[in-house]
Amino acid sequence: MRVGEQSTDPIDQILGEVPVPAPLTPEDVRLAVRAVVVHAAEEWPAGPKCRNDGSAYPCRLHRWGRRVLEIHGLNERQIDALVRHGNPFVHVPFPFVLSGPSAGRPTAPQSPRGPAGRVAAPPVRPALRPGGTGRPVAPPATRPRWPRAS
């Protein structure tokens, strides 16, 4: 059975397809990557089955993950590469851009205001003592200094 075909599994016919969320979030994309990798095909004498639950391949979650990744902008080759890679925690950028930020989309001018609308603080040089001689300050200890056992 191919990815776009209707399943003959009775559970799939009763439950139907998993709905795709209307506005995709980064969490949806992460879950979709896990779904296509974990629910990949495994060859059996009776044909390919889902590696995770043994149902007919592609299972409901694999089909859902593919639909979400296609809506996100990945093509079939890229989704198949994710499955072959085998890491369910691989990072897919959000929003997904094919050729980098300058491919057809103008970048928005940077504002000095942060995401909350407040003016960003100027950069600070923490290595210098304020009003001092300009010598570097030792960085704070990364672990507590406990007394030594004698």
Side-chain angles (χ1 to χ4, degrees):
M1 183 167 91
R2 301 189 65 87
V3 172
E5 293 179 7
Q6 181 65 29
S7 173
T8 58
D9 188 19
I11 296 294
D12 286 349
Q13 291 177 349
I14 292 170
L15 296 176
E17 292 294 324
V18 179
V20 176
L24 287 181
T25 63
E27 182 67 22
D28 295 327
V29 174
R30 281 192 297 271
L31 289 173
V33 169
R34 286 188 69 182
V36 296
V37 171
V38 171
H39 294 267
E42 189 174 66
E43 281 300 321
W44 284 77
K49 295 199 178 274
C50 175
R51 183 188 315 165
N52 190 50
D53 58 13
S55 64
Y57 176 80
C59 66
R60 294 174 72 229
L61 280 175
H62 187 87
R63 290 191 306 262
W64 174 84
R66 277 193 179 268
R67 285 194 317 267
V68 167
L69 292 175
E70 286 171 357
I71 290 170
H72 186 56
L74 275 72
N75 59 28
E76 289 292 321
R77 239 179 73 222
Q78 292 168 326
I79 296 171
D80 291 337
L82 283 173
V83 172
R84 278 192 311 274
H85 187 267
N87 183 0
F89 302 106
V90 70
H91 176 69
V92 175
F94 192 90
F96 183 71
V97 180
L98 285 177
S99 305
S102 63
R105 284 190 209 172
T107 56
Q110 296 295 329
S111 169
R113 297 187 178 273
R118 290 176 266 174
V119 176
V124 179
R125 295 181 58 190
L128 297 177
R129 292 181 184 168
T133 61
R135 296 186 328 205
V137 177
T142 56
R143 59 179 196 221
R145 295 183 181 179
W146 302 104
R148 290 187 188 179
S150 49

